[in-house]
Amino acid sequence: MEFLEFIKIVLLGIVEGITEWLPISSTGHMLLFDEFFPVKAFLENPDFGDMFIVVIQLGAILAVVLLFWNKIWPFRRTETGGVGIHKEKFILWTKIAVACIPIGIVGLLLEDKIDEFFYQGNRETLTIALALIFYGIMFIGIEALNKKKKPRFDNLNTMPYQLALYIGMFQCLAVIPGTSRSGATILGAMILGSSRIMAAEFTFFLAIPTMAGASLLKLLKYGFAFSGQEYAMLITGMIVAFLVSFFCIRLLMQYISKHSFAAFGWYRIALGLVVFVYYVGKYALA
């Protein structure tokens, strides 16, 4: 791997590690990064590039597992030396499973059509711009409406299954580039009455099976016949994404304990306008 290409892969890992957990669209940022700083291997093999952008998320998932291990690991050692199950953590995983149902159906039935509609030609850039702006406005609006409201749900242990299913439905919006999986689920949870902390935590936990499943589907579709360079790129990207995600998640949880998501809304709007101007300049006026 050439040094410049190595630097680009490291930067992609940094972008993934930061934007996967902030409600600002990781896929949108990585696609935009590739628009301005294309990776040579992606140009030579676009299928590998599409797969890489999804599979690199496995590194980010590992950061969630490590940080929240005590909250999500459902097994425990019994007094007799056997293995028992934490009831509350097991129930949490059943809620996560329920929330995964909508995106599982959408992914299995519509993946090819979604890729064909949203990820072809210059339509992708415009979609990212509009999604960034729209959901940025939504975040600002919801935070303003909830400013004086007390959340109806602030504990994952008492969260109803129906709420988990509805949040899972909101997650399906993330198939649109520029939306943000974490942004869609956090926004949906807050609209439905969740506190910021609970919305963020459930989003992190929901990412584990969702992103792992999406990565597996991409790997099965692409195959495992990687070249040495491709293995190096995947491993490098995942390691960087893991390290950056580990610190980003901790900082985000500290931030939202005292602040709202409105700042992310303004960021989305600003970035969306920049992308829109770029789209007009490159495509509409070409």
Side-chain angles (χ1 to χ4, degrees):
M1 192 190 324
E2 298 175 5
F3 180 73
L4 181 58
E5 299 303 296
F6 173 78
I7 294 299
K8 290 180 180 178
I9 293 299
V10 170
L11 291 175
L12 274 173
I14 293 173
V15 171
E16 162 63 23
I18 294 175
T19 61
E20 183 60 52
W21 309 112
L22 305 183
I24 55 178
S25 177
S26 62
T27 302
H29 277 75
M30 286 197 290
L31 290 172
L32 290 172
F33 179 90
D34 191 55
E35 178 78 14
F36 294 100
F37 306 101
V39 177
K40 184 179 178 181
F42 293 2
L43 296 177
E44 296 173 350
N45 188 351
D47 290 337
F48 174 74
D50 293 340
M51 183 274 299
F52 176 92
I53 288 177
V54 175
V55 176
I56 192 180
Q57 297 172 341
L58 289 174
I61 295 174
L62 290 176
V64 174
V65 173
L66 181 61
L67 281 169
F68 294 98
W69 180 263
N70 291 331
K71 287 191 175 184
I72 63 176
W73 184 244
F75 304 106
R76 61 181 176 84
R77 181 78 62 179
T78 63
E79 294 180 355
T80 59
V83 178
I85 295 178
H86 286 283
K87 182 179 178 181
E88 290 183 347
K89 295 176 183 177
F90 179 79
I91 292 174
L92 172 61
W93 275 107
T94 63
K95 294 174 183 177
I96 293 171
V98 167
C100 286
I101 294 174
I103 194 64
I105 294 173
V106 171
L108 289 173
L109 298 181
L110 302 176
E111 181 190 13
D112 291 337
K113 292 187 179 296
I114 290 169
D115 288 346
E116 180 181 346
F117 184 82
F118 288 114
Y119 293 90
Q120 298 298 321
N122 56 33
R123 182 188 299 151
E124 177 182 69
T125 306
L126 178 60
T127 303
I128 290 173
L130 296 178
L132 284 169
I133 294 171
F134 175 77
Y135 288 102
I137 294 171
M138 288 293 292
F139 265 109
I140 295 170
I142 293 302
E143 284 288 11
L145 289 174
N146 289 347
K147 196 170 185 179
K148 296 182 179 180
K149 288 184 180 179
K150 184 178 180 180
R152 290 188 295 136
F153 309 104
D154 60 3
N155 191 318
L156 290 174
N157 293 329
T158 57
M159 179 179 71
Y161 282 92
Q162 187 177 28
L163 177 62
L165 179 63
Y166 289 158
I167 294 174
M169 292 179 179
F170 273 95
Q171 183 176 227
C172 293
L173 295 171
V175 302
I176 303 173
T179 296
S180 169
R181 190 202 62 80
S182 60
T185 52
I186 288 173
L187 187 64
M190 291 175 63
I191 289 174
L192 296 169
S194 298
S195 67
R196 294 189 195 98
I197 297 294
M198 179 182 142
E201 284 194 349
F202 192 67
T203 290
F204 297 156
F205 302 158
L206 184 56
I208 298 172
T210 299
M211 292 160 59
S215 298
L216 179 61
L217 286 175
K218 282 291 184 181
L219 283 170
L220 291 174
K221 185 176 180 179
Y222 180 82
F224 293 85
F226 300 119
S227 67
Q229 174 176 282
E230 289 173 340
Y231 270 115
M233 293 171 70
L234 276 173
I235 293 172
T236 299
M238 285 191 287
I239 290 175
V240 175
F242 165 77
L243 294 173
V244 176
S245 292
F246 185 86
F247 292 103
C248 185
I249 293 171
R250 295 180 65 178
L251 290 174
L252 177 63
M253 295 305 293
Q254 292 174 10
Y255 177 85
I256 63 175
S257 66
K258 300 178 181 179
H259 305 87
S260 76
F261 283 104
F264 298 110
W266 288 112
Y267 171 82
R268 290 183 64 106
I269 293 172
L271 180 61
L273 290 173
V274 171
V275 176
F276 183 77
V277 170
Y278 168 76
Y279 168 83
V280 172
K282 182 174 181 178
Y283 299 110
L285 298 181

